[in-house]
């Protein structure tokens, strides 16, 4: 039971990081990035590579490398794929298809990367995990501590950046209203590029930690993307608070609800983990399409008090 | 690879993908509905053949088996013999499965868009992708439904045709169905319905003001196009003799991304353009697939060429979006009767 809760919290932490990544770029570029899952998985493979070639004592040392690698993917996504299309005034639909194509390109690159790596390290690199390489602190899994710290530090960094620096003000301005911000002298191009860098970096961080939780293979990104979308949409897709809320809600319920259902209906239910996030997604869209953060909670509390 | 197999596989995939791409063109090209879950409709086809028709046949011939995969295997050997002796049974089975897939496809297609029918295009796309993706996950992991990762054999509806001829007869059959689909859609979309869809794509709000219910139009469109695409799923399942080719987790690439690429390559809301797009895609794809070992050894690649294929198609898509968003053949205005009259009057004057 404790193991279950542990894993649920770790998964929720990682999902929150990924949902934040998705939300940051959605706010600035207004494109849902269908390649977000592959960002993270590519970074996982990169973490594995740096771990093996530098012979680190633990894969945790790879984290800075995969953050940088993730940032690089984020920046190249914007510069190579989206910026040229945005300049041609392509519709959102076209931009979405472009990120879908980019996802396919990344999938191909991940495949090539992993197979070439297998040849290089003389071992099968198509599937791997770091579970046995994790440390334990006072009986607590290392990944539980590190993933929680990762979320805390990422959020602290993000809020410091957005609310305590001048660049953050510019960024928030261009998130709110890009054309007005441009008139006021904000370089929207730079803030957009920076948001893709941040998004890639957070995905890279999540990707470096993911193999500590579960087996990672080439198509993991294609499966995790549904949960990322569910988390972001539950929160409202366009606020960072929402991404945090949605990340934990979807992440925790995906593991815990499935476990609870498996107690009633038997182990065969465990196949349907992702159906839980789908159900949450659909219910949100049906009843509160703008997400949890759009609900005026104060009104309800006030009514309840009376 | 023998030239003959190459040609037959090009024609086969041209037929299958024509049906799927034409049906995607109804949603995306005409209606502007970004159905990133196109694969679901094809899965319904496989599901109709493997899970519904198979179960009907299993109970009709009272066959015993522990799992659906095993029972389907026993059933296939019995039914194949019946078909070999009685061709009408095979053709009837195929037609029955197609009709059933059309019905199930329409029902599920309509339900599929229900949670998201009122939403903006980005939310709509995400939801459709998510639903399709999870249905695949369930179909693949749950072995009781349609065999899951074991697959379920389906009867050979052409068991009366011997050996090497079967391939060509099947290709002809698929091309025939593709032709019917093309002719049917060409008529259906050059009607007020087609113009309604284009109006919805261009300006949904304006259409709402003229009293049309956008949600209802979307539901009907998804039901209609899913019915068409699920028939392609049935045809492919019967061709391959097993549903496993469709019920695998990699389906998003094969049954959603590739059709999008074909529609955009050919030209949206233009059925002839779509056919041109399908043909160009299928030729490149089959050549790459057919000569992948030669390519790998020639370039001394240390990896599977399939990965390279993904990159090539991804890049191709982005290049099309950037340089030729209108596709190979541009969208043409609809030839309505008054327009034709006007044209003929003008030519008379001149």
């Amino acid at each position: 039971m404790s193991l279950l809760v542990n894993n649920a919290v770790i998964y929720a932490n990682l999902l929150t990081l990924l949902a934040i990544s998705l939300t940051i770029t959605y706010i600035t570029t207004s494109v849902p990035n269908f390649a977000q899952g592959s960002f993270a998985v590519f970074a996982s493979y990169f973490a594995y590579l740096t771990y093996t070639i530098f012979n680190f004592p633990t894969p945790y040392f790879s984290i800075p490398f995969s953050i940088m690698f993730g940032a690089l993917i984020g920046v190249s996504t914007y510069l190579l794929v989206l910026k040229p299309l945005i300049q041609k005034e392509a519709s959102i639909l076209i931009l979405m298809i472009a990120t879908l194509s980019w996802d396919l390109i990344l999938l191909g690159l991940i495949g090539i990367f992993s197979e070439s790596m297998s040849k290089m390290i003389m071992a099968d690199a198509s599937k791997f995990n770091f579970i046995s390489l994790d440390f334990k602190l006072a009986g607590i899994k290392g990944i539980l501590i590190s993933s929680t710290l990762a979320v805390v530090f990422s959020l602290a960094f993000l809020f410091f950046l957005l609310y305590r620096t001048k660049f953050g003000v510019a960024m928030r301005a261009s998130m709110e209203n890009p054309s007005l911000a441009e008139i006021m002298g904000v370089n929207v191009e730079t803030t957009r590029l920076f948001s893709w860098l941040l998004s890639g970096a957070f995905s890279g961080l999540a990707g470096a930690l993911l193999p500590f939780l579960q087996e990672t293979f080439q198509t993991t990104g294609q499966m995790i993307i549904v949960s990322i979308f569910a988390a972001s949409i539950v929160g409202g897709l366009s606020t960072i608070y929402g991404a945090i809320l949605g990340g934990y809600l979807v992440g925790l319920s995906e593991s815990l609800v499935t476990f609870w259902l498996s107690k009633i209906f038997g182990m065969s239910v465990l196949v349907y983990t992702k159906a839980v996030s789908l159900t949450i997604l659909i219910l949100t869209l049906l009843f509160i399409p703008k997400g949890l953060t759009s609900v005026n909670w104060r009104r309800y509390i006030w009514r309840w008090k009376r | 690879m023998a030239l003959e197999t190459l040609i037959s596989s090009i024609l086969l995939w041209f037929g299958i993908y024509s049906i799927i791409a034409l049906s995607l063109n109804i949603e995306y090209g005409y209606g502007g509905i970004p159905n990133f879950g196109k694969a679901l409709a094809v899965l319904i086809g496989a599901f109709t053949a493997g899970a519904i028709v198979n179960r009907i046949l299993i109970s009709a011939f009272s066959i015993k088996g522990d799992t659906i995969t095993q029972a389907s295997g026993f059933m296939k050997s019995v039914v194949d013999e019946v078909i070999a002796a009685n061709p009408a049974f095979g053709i009837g089975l195929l037609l029955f499965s197609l009709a059933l897939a059309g019905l199930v496809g329409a029902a599920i297609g309509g339900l599929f868009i229900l949670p998201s029918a009122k939403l903006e295009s980005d939310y709509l796309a995400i939801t459709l992708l998510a639903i399709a993706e999870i249905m695949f996950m369930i179909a693949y992991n749950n072995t009781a439904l349609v065999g899951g990762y074991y697959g379920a054999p389906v009867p050979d509806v052409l068991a009366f045709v011997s050996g090497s001829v079967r391939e060509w007869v099947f290709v002809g059959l698929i091309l025939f169905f593709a032709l019917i689909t093309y002719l049917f859609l060409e008529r259906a979309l050059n009607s007020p319905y087609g113009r309604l869809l284009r109006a919805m794509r261009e300006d949904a709000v304006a259409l709402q003001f003229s009293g049309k219910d956008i949600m209802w139009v979307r539901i009907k469109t998804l039901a209609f196009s899913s019915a068409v695409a699920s028939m392609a799923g049935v045809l492919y399942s019967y061709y391959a003799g097993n549903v496993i080719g469709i019920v695998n987790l990699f389906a998003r690439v094969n049954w959603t991304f590739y059709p999008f690429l074909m529609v955009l390559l050919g030209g949206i809301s233009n059925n002839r353009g779509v056919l041109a797009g399908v043909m160009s895609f299928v030729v490149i794809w089959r050549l790459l697939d057919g000569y992948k070992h030669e390519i790998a050894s020639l370039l001394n690649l240390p990896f599977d060429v399939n990965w390279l294929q993904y990159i090539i198609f991804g890049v191709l898509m982005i290049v099309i979006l950037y340089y030729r968003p209108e596709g190979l053949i541009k969208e043409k205005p609809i030839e309505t009767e008054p327009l034709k009259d006007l044209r003929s009057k003008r030519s008379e004057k001149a």
Side-chain angles (χ1 to χ4, degrees):
Chain A
M1 186 63 201
S2 154
L3 177 75
L4 176 83
V5 176
N6 264 346
N7 282 349
V9 173
I10 298 163
Y11 180 65
N13 283 337
L14 299 183
L15 198 58
T16 304
L17 281 176
L18 289 167
I20 293 171
S21 313
L22 186 82
T23 304
I24 295 173
T25 50
Y26 182 78
I27 296 170
T28 51
T29 328
S30 60
V31 187
N33 177 14
F34 284 89
Q36 201 80 53
S38 297
F39 278 27
V41 172
F42 211 162
S44 308
Y45 275 92
F46 194 71
Y48 187 34
L49 181 77
T50 46
Y51 167 69
T52 41
I53 51 174
F54 292 126
N55 232 334
F56 288 138
T58 154
Y60 280 109
F61 285 97
S62 306
I63 291 178
F65 295 95
S66 44
I67 289 179
M68 279 189 276
F69 187 71
L72 186 73
I73 303 176
V75 168
S76 49
T77 308
Y78 180 67
L79 290 182
L80 293 176
V81 183
L82 296 172
K83 193 180 166 192
L85 287 170
I86 291 173
Q87 276 170 350
K88 279 198 119 184
E89 291 177 355
S91 66
I92 296 294
L93 216 57
I94 296 288
L95 294 179
M96 284 195 288
I97 295 170
T99 64
L100 207 62
S101 323
W102 181 244
D103 188 37
L104 193 62
I105 296 174
L106 286 181
L107 178 65
L109 290 174
I110 291 172
I112 290 175
F113 188 92
S114 69
E115 285 191 14
S116 313
M117 200 172 130
S118 305
K119 294 251 158 69
M120 210 166 82
I121 62 170
M122 305 282 184
D124 182 24
S126 60
K127 281 182 190 175
F128 66 96
N129 67 62
F130 299 153
I131 296 170
S132 57
L133 302 165
D134 201 6
F135 65 93
K136 266 199 168 171
L137 201 74
I140 305 170
K141 271 187 181 181
I143 178 67
L144 181 63
I145 303 168
S146 52
S147 66
T148 311
L149 284 179
V151 173
V152 171
F153 279 123
S154 305
L155 289 179
F157 171 72
L158 202 57
F159 283 106
F160 176 76
L161 179 82
L162 290 179
Y163 294 98
R164 291 286 178 273
T165 61
K166 212 170 171 199
F167 187 75
V169 177
M171 222 173 136
R172 277 189 294 144
S174 54
M175 285 171 175
E176 286 289 326
N177 191 335
S179 42
L180 188 63
E182 197 134 41
I183 293 166
M184 302 300 283
V186 173
N187 190 343
V188 175
E189 207 49 54
T190 319
T191 52
R192 265 194 201 147
L193 185 64
F194 190 72
S195 74
W196 279 91
L197 183 135
L198 268 186
S199 166
F202 286 139
S203 295
L205 176 59
L209 297 174
L210 188 68
F212 284 105
L213 174 69
Q214 63 177 58
E215 182 119 62
T216 306
F217 36 96
Q218 292 123 340
T219 49
T220 302
Q222 320 276 311
M223 300 190 192
I224 213 167
I225 189 74
V226 175
S227 310
I228 304 176
F229 277 135
S232 303
I233 284 182
V234 167
L237 200 54
S238 50
T239 69
I240 290 167
Y241 294 107
I244 304 166
L245 204 63
Y248 283 107
L249 185 75
V250 172
L252 289 175
S253 46
E254 218 176 84
S255 331
L256 297 179
V257 171
T258 328
F259 176 73
W260 175 65
L261 287 176
S262 75
K263 285 218 137 176
I264 306 173
F265 299 106
M267 294 304 274
S268 59
V269 181
L270 292 177
V271 173
Y272 306 113
T273 325
K274 297 278 177 224
V276 173
S277 47
L278 178 72
T279 314
I280 299 175
L281 175 75
I282 290 176
L283 288 178
T284 312
L285 289 173
L286 281 178
F287 297 109
I288 30 170
K290 293 267 177 269
L292 283 176
T293 43
S294 72
V295 181
N296 187 355
W297 295 109
R298 201 165 289 164
R299 210 183 72 198
Y300 289 99
I301 294 167
W302 184 66
R303 195 184 282 168
W304 178 70
K305 267 185 187 166
R306 264 204 325 188
Chain B
M1 194 166 71
L3 190 65
E4 201 178 339
T5 17
L6 186 69
I7 292 172
S8 81
S9 93
I10 287 177
L11 290 176
L12 168 85
W13 285 105
F14 172 71
I16 297 276
Y17 271 134
S18 296
I19 302 176
I20 300 170
L22 285 169
S23 88
L24 180 67
N25 195 30
I26 309 171
E27 302 157 345
Y28 176 70
Y30 285 85
I33 304 167
N35 186 0
F36 286 5
K38 186 78 240 175
L40 181 64
V42 186
L43 178 69
I44 294 168
F47 192 79
T48 310
I52 304 179
V53 177
N54 267 12
R55 280 194 169 83
I56 295 174
L57 289 172
I58 286 169
S59 69
F61 288 87
S62 51
I63 285 154
K64 300 268 184 298
D66 293 334
T67 59
I68 176 80
T69 311
Q70 198 190 20
S72 299
F74 293 149
M75 179 273 293
K76 180 183 162 66
S77 56
V78 175
V79 173
D80 277 2
E81 270 176 39
V82 175
I83 294 172
N86 184 6
F89 186 75
I91 297 298
L93 184 65
L94 179 66
L95 292 178
F96 170 70
S97 309
L98 284 172
L100 191 65
L103 286 178
V104 179
I108 295 188
L111 284 174
F112 171 48
I113 199 177
L114 218 49
S116 49
K118 280 183 179 169
L119 302 170
E120 298 285 321
S121 67
D122 45 359
Y123 279 71
L124 184 65
I126 292 170
T127 320
L128 294 180
L129 177 119
I131 298 177
E133 205 71 355
I134 284 160
M135 291 305 155
F136 268 96
M137 224 171 263
I138 292 172
Y140 183 75
N141 287 313
N142 186 334
T143 49
L145 216 55
V146 63
Y149 35 76
Y150 299 120
V154 288
D156 183 2
V157 291
L158 289 185
F160 53 89
V161 187
S162 66
S164 59
V165 191
R166 181 201 182 258
E167 174 85 15
W168 287 102
V169 176
F170 220 108
V171 168
L173 200 66
I174 285 173
L175 286 176
F176 171 71
F177 279 111
L179 179 72
I180 291 180
T181 312
Y182 170 74
L183 293 175
F184 175 65
L185 291 184
E186 197 60 2
R187 270 195 83 84
L189 292 168
N190 275 324
S191 67
Y193 173 64
R195 295 200 289 278
L196 174 70
L197 284 181
R198 286 192 196 196
M200 183 168 78
R201 182 190 68 196
E202 292 306 323
D203 196 340
V205 179
L207 195 65
Q208 242 164 348
F209 274 109
S210 59
K212 297 288 180 190
D213 186 352
I214 296 291
M215 188 171 158
W216 188 235
V217 178
R218 278 183 175 171
I219 292 171
K220 273 199 289 191
T221 307
L222 252 281
F224 176 41
S225 65
S226 299
V228 175
S230 59
M231 291 185 196
V234 170
L235 285 172
Y236 182 69
S237 300
Y238 278 130
Y239 166 77
N242 198 315
V243 297
I244 190 67
I246 296 175
V247 189
N248 63 46
L249 285 177
F250 242 33
R252 185 158 99 210
V253 175
N254 275 319
W255 308 111
T256 301
F257 185 83
Y258 288 169
F260 258 97
L261 180 58
M262 292 166 211
V263 169
L264 282 158
L265 179 67
I268 62 162
S269 64
N270 180 340
N271 289 335
R272 232 179 310 159
V274 169
L275 290 188
V278 175
M279 200 54 183
S280 358
F281 170 85
V282 168
V283 169
I284 303 173
W285 181 53
R286 291 329 296 169
L287 284 177
L288 272 179
D289 200 63
Y291 293 101
K292 63 182 176 189
H293 300 298
E294 285 83 345
I295 297 170
S297 60
L298 192 72
L299 300 174
N300 204 8
L301 298 175
F303 51 80
D304 192 341
V305 180
N306 278 336
W307 300 114
L308 202 62
Q309 194 173 300
Y310 293 145
I311 297 175
I312 292 171
F313 287 132
V315 171
L316 180 66
M317 182 79 132
I318 291 174
V319 168
I320 294 167
L321 292 177
Y322 187 74
Y323 288 104
R324 265 196 97 78
E326 76 278 2
L328 290 172
I329 304 176
K330 265 194 180 167
E331 183 176 0
K332 289 188 195 79
I334 302 168
E335 288 284 312
T336 52
E337 288 304 321
L339 201 67
K340 275 183 197 163
D341 285 349
L342 201 71
R343 286 241 171 98
S344 60
K345 268 176 200 163
R346 270 192 196 157
S347 58
E348 273 168 27
K349 269 184 195 170

